[in-house]
Amino acid sequence: GGKSSNAKLVLLGDAGTGKSSIVLRFVKNQFIDFQESTIGAAFFSQTLTVDDASVKFDIWDTAGQERYHSLAPMYYRGAAAAIVAYDITNQASFDRAKKWVQELQAHGSSGTVVALAGNKADLIDSRKVSAEEARRYAQDNGLLFMETSAKLATNVSEMFSQIAKRLIEA
Ligand code: GTP
Ligand code: MG
């Protein structure tokens, strides 16, 4: 049989970018139009098999509202992986995502695999952040990058698979 491992994964990013929706899509393959804003953080776990190895993700879905910022280190400390989400229709959320990446680089664990997720990719007519700009930023900072849509299930499982692959290779 293949290897199996546990990986702590944290989602970070502005309120309303779709962190909880990404997790709900990944864990239950569901989407809620009126997803409630997270209070504190929520925990989920989901196992993913890539090739013949399995990774059990212990997922911390953090609250993006600023008043919860001081809790974040509890969740990203020791994390094997982090997903930093922004909303492609919201430039401020992309700026905030960069701040999260800086905070992870300064205070996170050195080996954390970081993925940048440009979510709400279905809202193409309201786009404010170009995929090219985000891809370049991700490349310059050694991040995985995907545009995702929790609503349409675009690139959500793919993103977790890529993270799992990176973790298995490590
Ligand atoms: P906090 O918990 O406050 O930090 O927010 P969050 O990042 O968890 O965002 P949440 O998942 O609650 O989503 C916010 C809103 O965006 C909800 O109304 C979702 O239905 C909507 N939403 C999330 N993902 C998508 C998406 O991919 N496309 C579209 N069109 N809407 C989305
Ligand atoms: Mg949430």
Side-chain angles (χ1 to χ4, degrees), residues 47-159:
T47 301
L48 196 62
T49 303
V50 178
D51 302 325
D52 72 337
S54 74
V55 177
K56 179 170 168 277
F57 284 112
D58 293 326
I59 301 170
W60 286 102
D61 170 25
T62 67
Q65 291 178 45
E66 189 52 39
R67 74 181 96 135
Y68 298 113
H69 187 178
S70 63
L71 300 178
M74 281 199 310
Y75 300 108
Y76 65 66
R77 201 168 289 136
I83 294 173
V84 178
Y86 67 95
D87 170 352
I88 70 155
T89 73
N90 181 332
Q91 177 66 41
S93 76
F94 183 58
D95 299 338
R96 189 76 192 85
K98 291 180 179 174
K99 297 276 187 214
W100 278 118
V101 170
Q102 283 172 9
E103 180 167 341
L104 283 171
Q105 288 168 344
H107 302 294
S109 311
S110 59
T112 305
V113 172
V114 182
L116 182 66
N119 192 43
K120 309 198 186 181
D122 54 290
L123 300 179
I124 204 84
D125 293 338
S126 311
R127 176 190 287 279
K128 295 283 168 9
V129 182
S130 84
E132 197 39 58
E133 178 189 4
R135 183 171 296 112
R136 198 173 331 109
Y137 174 77
Q139 225 156 41
D140 290 347
N141 287 274
L143 318 175
L144 294 169
F145 170 66
M146 288 210 182
E147 287 197 341
T148 58
S149 169
K151 182 170 184 168
L152 302 184
T154 310
N155 276 344
V156 173
S157 59
E158 288 81 355
M159 181 172 56

Side-chain angles (χ1 to χ4, degrees), residues 19-21 35-38 61-64:
K19 299 176 297 299
S20 298
S21 300
Q35 176 70 44
E36 286 185 30
S37 190
T38 305
D61 170 25
T62 67

